[in-house]
Amino acid sequence: ASPTSLQQPRLSRLPASAHGSRHMDFIDTPWPVRHASDPSDDIDLKDFIDNLGDDGDGFLDNTGARLEASAGASVAQGSPRSIFGMRASSLEELMAEAGRIAPPGGVNGAGARAAADLERVARAAGLHGLCDALAFTGLAAELPALCEAGVTVLAPSDAAWAQIEPRSRADPVLIRQVLLAHICSGVHMRSDLVAKRTAVALAGQTHAAALEGGEMHVGTARVLRADLPFDSGVIHELGSVMAVLHFAREAHEEQVWKKSLQPAPRLVVVTAAGAATTSDYELHGCLLHAATGQLLPDALRGHVRSLQPRLHQSQVQQVTFSDLCVMTKPPSLQRRRGAGLDDGANRYRLLFSLWNSSTLSYVSWQHMPTPLLIRNSFHMLPPEEKAYRRQEYARSRSGGGTARRAAAAPAPVAAPP
């Protein structure tokens, strides 16, 4: 099975939020997702690209718990009363300050009303953790702008949020990444997700959507309740936090054929208990030709990493592809000398996909924003790239290489104290 789409979000910078001095990356509009003509057929990447134009202490605030326990079965099962207590009163108070961080052009009243209605519906559905996470990370103040075009929220239940280890829940940057991987631009009902077979998050991560045994699954999570509508959007409740992929480090643009990518791409994989119970997962690197969108099989070496040890255990881990290199020879490098080289033929996109080794399918994928330009040799690199590689080589000779090789294995990320 191959990934069904290649997404490239566009980022714009916003000023600091009312919650602190952090700056926030905010996605304007992700690329659209094409419909598959037949659910049993893969969506061709080339066709997809050709038709893009078609469519503080945070959660652990020691001032005390504020939220009431979720209604229904979760209370009967003894779920924690409120692990998401915060000083902020509500999203409405935060949105009152949205004008000071609004993107150019401002936020209209419709967006503010939609954001307020999102909170109303989420609270009524018992999704208090979602509301607190939005406020904690500063995304609450961005909701009016996000809701203008409509949004789909893949909302983990309160019990699912509780499965994230406490130190990770206290990290606003990490929780922001998790949220951006659970919010999609546009309104997509359950039937839409089934038809498209994908859910494209604001962070650029694409989750596979499918019916399995009569149950709806998105990414690594099962949908508990679908189609909870609010003004300009819809909420789907998930039984777990989906696995989230985001880049801690990207490779440089210009690389050398058959040489390890420099610096080695590093991804942070966030998983929570309940994301899977029986499946083992791997992280695969995939290479696509930038001009044609063609997925190139056997084009990479060192492109597979096993996640440690099971995805259903709550953890945050880094995965470094220290020996990843491009083995396929770019078309322009196959020409005779003097025939004229076209850099466009040497450009590629790198895609990292979460592979379910039990179902033999990709369940989620994220592309590296930086494209790759493959050169024939070290001597064709620009001077600054040559200098960087010489410096790294000297560092490895002095003893840094051992530590870098050790980093290639998945390892838990040190969480804030």
Side-chain angles (χ1 to χ4, degrees), residues 113-128:
R113 287 192 300 271
D117 198 43
L118 188 160
E119 182 190 19
R120 180 189 65 79
V121 172
R123 294 287 187 193
L127 301 173
H128 306 291

Side-chain angles (χ1 to χ4, degrees), residues 141-162:
E142 298 175 46
L143 280 178
L146 294 175
C147 289
E148 285 183 356
V151 294
T152 297
V153 182
L154 304 170
S157 65
D158 283 4
W161 283 113

Side-chain angles (χ1 to χ4, degrees), residues 233-289:
V234 65
I235 298 174
H236 305 295
E237 182 184 2
L238 305 181
S240 61
V241 176
M242 292 188 294
V244 175
L245 311 175
H246 68 93
F247 284 89
R249 183 178 66 196
E250 300 177 34
H252 292 171
E253 179 178 4
E254 300 208 32
Q255 301 291 335
V256 180
W257 177 48
K258 288 190 175 182
K259 299 295 183 181
S260 298
L261 299 189
Q262 299 294 327
R266 178 177 298 158
L267 288 88
V268 174
V269 183
V270 183
T271 61
T277 56
T278 60
S279 301
D280 286 317
Y281 285 81
E282 296 175 343
L283 196 59
H284 290 186
C286 306
L287 193 69
L288 301 99
H289 195 270

Side-chain angles (χ1 to χ4, degrees), residues 120-313:
R120 180 189 65 79
V121 172
R123 294 287 187 193
L127 301 173
H128 306 291
L130 169 68
C131 298
D132 278 353
L134 289 167
F136 172 56
T137 59
L139 276 172
E142 298 175 46
L143 280 178
L146 294 175
C147 289
E148 285 183 356
V151 294
T152 297
V153 182
L154 304 170
S157 65
D158 283 4
W161 283 113
Q163 295 300 321
I164 299 180
E165 60 179 354
R167 290 187 301 173
S168 295
R169 287 202 307 270
D171 183 348
V173 176
L174 179 65
I175 298 301
R176 180 182 175 85
Q177 289 288 345
V178 171
L179 283 171
L180 289 175
H182 284 72
I183 302 176
C184 308
S185 180
V187 182
H188 309 289
M189 308 302 285
R190 180 180 184 274
S191 59
D192 299 324
L193 295 177
V194 172
K196 297 176 181 179
R197 297 189 298 136
T198 56
V200 185
L202 295 181
Q205 184 171 347
T206 302
H207 306 283
L211 288 173
E212 299 177 11
E215 295 182 332
M216 179 74 181
H217 288 77
V218 180
T220 58
R222 180 169 62 92
V223 177
L224 300 181
R225 288 183 291 176
D227 297 345
L228 303 175
F230 63 91
D231 187 6
S232 298
V234 65
I235 298 174
H236 305 295
E237 182 184 2
L238 305 181
S240 61
V241 176
M242 292 188 294
V244 175
L245 311 175
H246 68 93
F247 284 89
R249 183 178 66 196
E250 300 177 34
H252 292 171
E253 179 178 4
E254 300 208 32
Q255 301 291 335
V256 180
W257 177 48
K258 288 190 175 182
K259 299 295 183 181
S260 298
L261 299 189
Q262 299 294 327
R266 178 177 298 158
L267 288 88
V268 174
V269 183
V270 183
T271 61
T277 56
T278 60
S279 301
D280 286 317
Y281 285 81
E282 296 175 343
L283 196 59
H284 290 186
C286 306
L287 193 69
L288 301 99
H289 195 270
T292 65
Q294 180 184 3
L295 185 64
L296 305 176
D298 304 320
L300 299 173
R301 186 180 67 192
H303 61 290
V304 177
R305 293 286 184 273
S306 295
L307 295 184
Q308 160 190 73
R310 291 246 184 201
L311 196 64
H312 66 272
Q313 295 181 342

